[in-house]
Amino acid sequence: MATTVRRAVLTLPVAATGPENPLAALRPLDETHAVGSRERDDLPRDMARQLGHEPLRTVLPVRILDGYTRDRTATDLDAIVIENDRLRATVLPGFGGRIHSLHHKPTGRELVYRNPVLQPADFALNGAWFSGGIEWNIGATGHTTLSCAPVHAALVTAPDGGDMLRLWEWERLRDLPFQVDLWLPEDSDFLYVGVRLRNPHEHPVPVYWWSNTAVPENEHTRVLAPADEAWHFGYERTLSRVPVPETDGADRTYPVRSEYPADYFYEVPDGARRWIASLDGEGHGLVQTSTDVLRGRKLFLWGSGTGGRRWQQWLTEPGTGGYAEIQAGLARTQLEHIPLEAGAEFSWLEAYGPLSADPAAVHGDDWTAARAETERRLARALPRADVDAAYEAWRQCADTEPGEVLATGSGWGALEVRRARYKLPGTPFDPSTLGEQQAPWLELLEQGTFPQPPRVTPPGPSLVSPHWRDMLETAPAEPLTEYHLGIAQWHADDRAQAVRSWERGLVLAPSRWPLLRCLAVAARESGQSDRAADHYTEAFDDLCAERRDDGDTWTAATSALGRETVEALLTAGRTGAARAVLESLRPEIRTRGRFRLLEARILLAEGDTAAVRVLFDAGFEVADLREGAEILDEVWRSATDDPLPDIYNFRMRPLR
């Protein structure tokens, strides 16, 4: 059959991501993948420099997604299917363009781990993320904020004259447009993926990219890459060079032979072909290869310990197989950001397809022979020269304007193009995509004023880049303008000026709680716990008096502010006030797992460890438990000496 690209519907059990958290993401980025400055002293100079290159302090201007539950219902999802005689790829444009499935028709094998559910969990930079398939990570260290967001999708003519699927969006953490082109040459066993990141600005921008592929895992699964060394990163937040394949007496290229979750960033020699493969006990599996710009290769494993197994169950459902991740990135490790010069771009080509090799060689004790066998089979299935040629052919199509629109992403790219008149051939950000969230910013751009809302409602999203900050500074100093200006100043690390803007806005604000909450965060970050508690209490009381309905937006605001207020009151030692705030929340909020955990922390502060144990024994689930969080373990151990039940064990590192 000729290659086709078509719309489809995929039905999965889905836990909806819920409304955005309307509180601006002012608090420090809670990213587990970081190392301290002391640990950088022993690293290669270029790696150490890129580890410290413009890391994010917050996820502004993006909003947090934490309103999901673990209640899943059968849901029809828009999908796009790319298919030829050999492969069928199923893409989810509403979820970052994730490839949900890559099916090899001749063998009937699924080449990637196809998650049977879509369950958000707190792994993305802005919260909601789900596991499985192939995801495109752009922005900064961690899973992209686009994990559960729509992207633009359309048909484009492929290099061979057939159809190609183009995905594109505006990445807001770094203000960069990007595109991902997917096509299947006729009769090919390999899906080609052309990626381009462009910097349209007049200044350098730090760039991060990793393509993450979830692959099925069992006791016989082995991950192979062209390296004899790797950089090991564990959740102890240390980065160290280790030999491959054996470290500390175990062959770590078999994911289940580690106890705790870990990253292994392979040190691929300069000039070597870039590839990584996951093969089963019979030598069958998936291989990923690319042109040389995509330098890094990585194995992420959950390990065989209780915590890692629990996370896998949490992200899918009991009874399903485990998975590992094989990844490819622009840098050697995911902890680095690379400068992209003004007006420049990064582009490369990736290929994904089946690979079969001699199992005796793949699983033998000779690592060099196992690698060589895998690379020989790859060269036979897809020569390196063919990948380079496919890249050159794709570059001739990268600027081709899309045809039929298959899905629509956000309007943020259209707003930026409107502001700066960027020329971005191949990735049109059409004015028709401008929506409600962009409307006040469009008015600021064109009229010089930030409009006041027609009704009392939580503030909309903020914009924080320098050009928007400049516009806010010259706009009439209305309370809502001062609110957004303070957020932009906070993002620029001008915190004293941010506080002054919020205090100015507070004088005449008809809605005080958003500004008070900002001042509370500022006080908390400067170590003023009592002042923070005062501001939070006033903000929460003001919100409760102001809220107009029980809709999703107001409920999300009450839930988020209530949670932060309780935490601040506990930090300040005001246990009674914390309980009063918790008990003032509506029952549908208090029964959520996150608030049951807050109840346990209040009980601990009250000295009632027996009640904490009763609460745990009754059972609860914290749907938005953060990757690497140890709070469940900490609260349990503060209440009892009994072993932590497995259902609460999400530990990703040994006890210290």
Side-chain angles (χ1 to χ4, degrees):
M1 62 180 291
T3 300
T4 61
V5 180
R6 57 182 170 84
R7 288 188 178 95
V9 174
L10 178 67
T11 303
L12 287 177
V14 174
T17 53
E20 293 179 330
N21 184 327
L23 306 185
L26 300 174
R27 300 172 79 178
L29 183 66
D30 182 18
E31 175 50 47
T32 59
H33 298 84
V35 297
S37 56
R38 289 185 179 179
E39 284 75 11
R40 297 176 195 166
D41 293 343
D42 298 327
L43 301 177
R45 187 171 300 176
D46 64 328
M47 182 185 291
R49 183 173 59 250
Q50 290 178 172
L51 256 64
H53 181 57
E54 296 192 36
L56 292 181
R57 287 185 290 268
T58 72
V59 295
L60 288 168
V62 177
R63 287 182 149 189
I64 302 298
L65 290 173
D66 58 4
Y68 48 86
T69 69
R70 293 187 56 78
D71 297 326
R72 298 190 286 264
T73 58
T75 305
D76 291 340
L77 304 175
D78 290 334
I80 301 171
V81 175
I82 312 167
E83 187 169 13
N84 67 4
D85 277 338
R86 313 288 295 176
L87 282 177
R88 181 172 60 248
T90 303
V91 179
L92 300 177
F95 292 85
R98 178 88 58 107
I99 296 177
H100 173 72
S101 166
L102 188 60
H103 180 78
H104 188 234
K105 293 181 179 182
T107 60
R109 288 192 286 114
E110 181 61 50
L111 300 181
V112 301
Y113 174 74
R114 183 177 58 193
N115 198 333
V117 304
L118 199 161
Q119 174 60 60
D122 193 1
F123 278 69
L125 286 163
N126 64 328
W129 172 86
F130 64 103
S131 66
I134 305 172
E135 58 176 315
W136 319 112
N137 281 294
I138 178 175
T141 298
H143 291 281
T144 176
T145 62
L146 295 167
S147 294
C148 291
V151 297
H152 302 282
L155 287 177
V156 182
T157 301
D160 59 3
D163 285 335
M164 176 166 70
L165 172 63
R166 174 162 299 161
L167 309 169
W168 74 99
E169 240 313 343
W170 191 275
E171 200 287 313
R172 301 179 64 210
L173 295 181
R174 302 300 194 183
D175 264 338
L176 291 179
F178 71 96
Q179 71 188 76
V180 179
D181 289 352
L182 303 99
W183 84 99
L184 279 171
E186 191 170 348
D187 300 324
S188 173
D189 274 322
F190 282 83
L191 174 69
Y192 287 157
V193 182
V195 182
R196 177 165 64 165
L197 317 179
R198 285 186 278 190
N199 179 7
H201 307 295
E202 297 178 351
H203 55 83
V205 175
V207 166
Y208 168 94
W209 181 280
W210 283 80
S211 302
N212 293 4
T213 305
V215 289
E217 170 217 80
N218 58 41
E219 61 181 320
H220 303 297
T221 302
R222 192 176 206 187
V223 171
L224 301 104
D228 292 314
E229 291 184 310
W231 294 93
H232 169 261
F233 180 83
Y235 285 78
E236 301 90 343
R237 301 195 179 193
T238 58
L239 187 65
S240 57
R241 193 193 295 259
V242 298
V244 175
E246 188 169 306
T247 304
D248 294 332
D251 187 334
R252 307 299 179 177
T253 62
Y254 290 89
V256 298
R257 297 185 185 177
S258 293
E259 182 176 3
Y260 290 97
D263 298 326
Y264 289 90
F265 300 101
Y266 294 112
E267 187 70 72
V268 180
D270 291 342
R273 185 176 185 180
R274 266 57 179 163
W275 61 269
I276 189 168
S278 173
L279 303 178
D280 64 18
E282 297 179 350
H284 304 308
L286 172 80
V287 66
Q288 187 272 359
T289 187
S290 72
T291 49
D292 290 352
V293 167
L294 202 63
R295 175 184 185 179
R297 292 299 185 273
K298 170 194 162 182
L299 162 65
F300 168 75
L301 53 86
W302 285 109
S304 59
T306 304
R309 294 296 109 185
R310 179 62 179 137
W311 272 117
Q312 294 217 46
Q313 294 170 1
W314 188 253
L315 293 166
T316 176
E317 59 184 9
T320 57
Y323 75 92
E325 289 182 2
I326 57 174
Q327 306 182 11
L330 282 173
R332 277 183 288 186
T333 75
Q334 283 181 321
L335 288 69
E336 301 169 69
H337 301 99
I338 301 175
L340 178 58
E341 296 303 318
E345 67 177 51
F346 289 137
S347 64
W348 63 89
L349 185 113
E350 306 181 43
Y352 296 81
L355 192 72
S356 293
D358 177 8
V362 167
H363 295 285
D365 294 333
D366 188 334
W367 172 244
T368 301
R371 280 174 39 196
E373 164 65 8
T374 308
E375 191 152 7
R376 278 195 301 270
R377 297 298 181 118
L378 171 59
R380 188 181 306 170
L382 184 64
R384 186 177 187 178
D386 287 3
V387 176
D388 292 337
Y391 169 73
E392 294 301 331
W394 167 71
R395 286 296 287 120
Q396 305 305 309
C397 303
D399 285 350
T400 302
E401 291 302 319
E404 180 186 354
V405 174
L406 301 176
T408 303
S410 78
W412 295 113
L415 182 66
E416 293 298 332
V417 169
R418 182 79 156 261
R419 179 193 63 80
R421 304 184 188 280
Y422 294 127
K423 303 298 182 184
L424 299 169
T427 55
F429 293 94
D430 195 274
S432 65
T433 62
L434 291 165
E436 182 180 353
Q437 289 192 333
Q438 292 81 44
W441 297 96
L442 186 61
E443 184 169 332
L444 175 66
L445 176 65
E446 297 184 343
Q447 306 297 327
T449 60
F450 197 91
Q452 302 306 298
R455 64 186 187 282
V456 175
T457 185
S462 297
L463 291 179
V464 296
S465 49
H467 37 265
W468 293 109
R469 186 172 73 245
D470 290 345
M471 281 184 265
L472 289 166
E473 286 176 345
T474 57
E478 300 292 340
L480 186 57
T481 308
E482 297 285 10
Y483 165 81
H484 288 296
L485 174 58
I487 290 170
Q489 291 163 334
W490 183 268
H491 175 263
D493 208 28
D494 190 354
R495 298 196 167 185
Q497 190 60 55
V499 169
R500 283 193 286 271
S501 294
W502 293 326
E503 288 175 341
R504 281 197 307 267
L506 196 60
V507 175
L508 298 175
S511 181
R512 293 170 52 82
W513 66 265
L515 291 153
L516 287 165
R517 183 264 175 178
C518 290
L519 291 169
V521 174
R524 185 169 182 174
E525 291 306 305
S526 63
Q528 302 175 71
S529 58
D530 283 325
R531 186 177 180 84
D534 289 342
H535 282 318
Y536 266 121
T537 300
E538 189 177 355
F540 183 74
D541 289 345
D542 188 68
L543 181 148
C544 291
E546 180 181 287
R547 63 178 290 170
R548 295 293 186 265
D549 57 48
D550 297 329
D552 288 346
T553 301
W554 281 109
T555 299
T558 306
S559 171
L561 186 55
R563 171 180 167 181
E564 289 187 14
T565 301
V566 171
E567 290 171 344
L569 289 167
L570 285 173
T571 299
R574 303 181 191 180
T575 307
R579 176 166 292 286
V581 170
L582 182 66
E583 292 180 350
S584 72
L585 295 171
R586 298 186 176 184
E588 64 269 22
I589 295 176
R590 292 203 308 274
T591 56
R592 296 176 188 174
R594 172 61 62 182
F595 292 89
R596 299 296 286 160
L597 178 58
L598 282 177
E599 167 75 15
R601 292 174 59 190
I602 291 172
L603 288 168
L604 271 184
E606 293 170 338
D608 194 347
T609 56
V612 174
R613 180 61 186 265
V614 169
L615 193 153
F616 271 80
D617 288 346
F620 62 92
E621 294 181 320
V622 182
D624 61 330
L625 187 69
R626 181 65 178 160
E627 174 190 9
E630 298 174 353
I631 185 64
L632 290 170
D633 192 358
E634 292 167 1
V635 172
W636 174 268
R637 286 189 288 113
S638 296
T640 177
D641 293 329
D642 290 348
L644 180 70
D646 286 351
I647 61 169
Y648 299 117
N649 190 343
F650 293 89
R651 177 164 283 280
M652 302 179 84
R653 61 178 179 171
L655 278 169
R656 287 176 289 183

